[in-house]
Structure formats: structure tokens, C-alpha cells
Amino acid sequence: MRSSAKSVIHIVMRIFSDFRIFERPPKPGLRLFRWIAWRWLALGVLFTSFILVFAVSHFIGGEPIYYTNEKRNLTDAETWEMIQMFLSGGGFFFIVGLIGVLSLPKR
């Protein structure tokens, strides 16, 4: 159990050890792709968390989503389809960014 906990901590520390979101992009090379992967990972996390908060406010909080063009509230089925569509986009950015961060070397 201890070795698995240490490996999880090692992976988490590896992911966030070089997280420098506000620095300038490096010169072209592998470091540039790693820099882009960090941006995609951050975008995926932000977008997915926003959509999850949106879904929780609708399904748990009971807030209906008003569709302005047709002047009606969306049904639960329509809302679920919309949430799945946006979660797939955020998940794509998150997965591609995570793969890039974990697979590309730091230097």
C-alpha cells in the first residue's frame, strides 16, 4: 500500500512540478510542445469543471435552462445531450494535454 501511495504522489508531483502557466513560450522544439500541452490541460480542466458546475446546477439544483430562441425551457434529455457534447470537448483537451505533459520530456 505504501509503494502505491508513493507512486501516486510521485505522478501528481511530476505533473505539477513544471506547471508554469504564465511564462513565455519557449523556442521551437519539444519544450514548446510541452508548453502547449500544459495550456491544453489547463483549458480542459477549466472547461470541464465549468460544465460540471453547470450540470450540477441544473440536475441537482433544479435550475431549468431557458432556451431564448424558442422561448422555452430545455427538457432534461436536451440538457443531457448538450452537457455530453460540451464534456466531450473539455475531456478531449484534458486527455490530450495530460498525455502530452506525461509523455514529453521536460528538457
Side-chain angles (χ1 to χ4, degrees):
M1 178 68 181
R2 292 194 94 145
S3 64
S4 64
K6 286 183 180 180
S7 64
V8 169
I9 291 171
H10 178 70
I11 290 172
V12 171
M13 291 304 292
R14 181 177 171 211
I15 289 173
F16 291 105
S17 67
D18 65 335
F19 187 69
R20 295 180 187 109
I21 192 84
F22 297 111
E23 72 179 15
R24 292 179 150 203
K27 294 178 182 173
L30 282 178
R31 290 182 60 208
L32 178 64
F33 288 116
R34 188 172 178 88
W35 185 84
I36 291 170
W38 273 114
R39 290 346 180 240
W40 280 35
L41 182 66
L43 178 67
V45 167
L46 289 173
F47 192 73
T48 303
S49 60
F50 172 74
I51 295 300
L52 289 176
V53 167
F54 185 72
V56 165
S57 72
H58 174 72
F59 288 112
I60 293 177
E63 275 297 315
I65 299 170
Y66 187 72
Y67 187 54
T68 307
N69 291 346
E70 295 183 8
K71 296 183 179 169
R72 65 177 177 90
N73 290 333
L74 291 178
T75 64
D76 283 343
E78 291 171 331
T79 304
W80 181 243
E81 289 174 4
M82 181 182 67
I83 289 171
Q84 284 179 331
M85 178 182 67
F86 285 115
L87 277 178
S88 65
F92 171 75
F93 279 104
F94 177 77
I95 290 171
V96 170
L98 189 62
I99 289 171
V101 166
L102 291 176
S103 64
L104 293 171
K106 285 185 182 180
R107 298 183 195 263

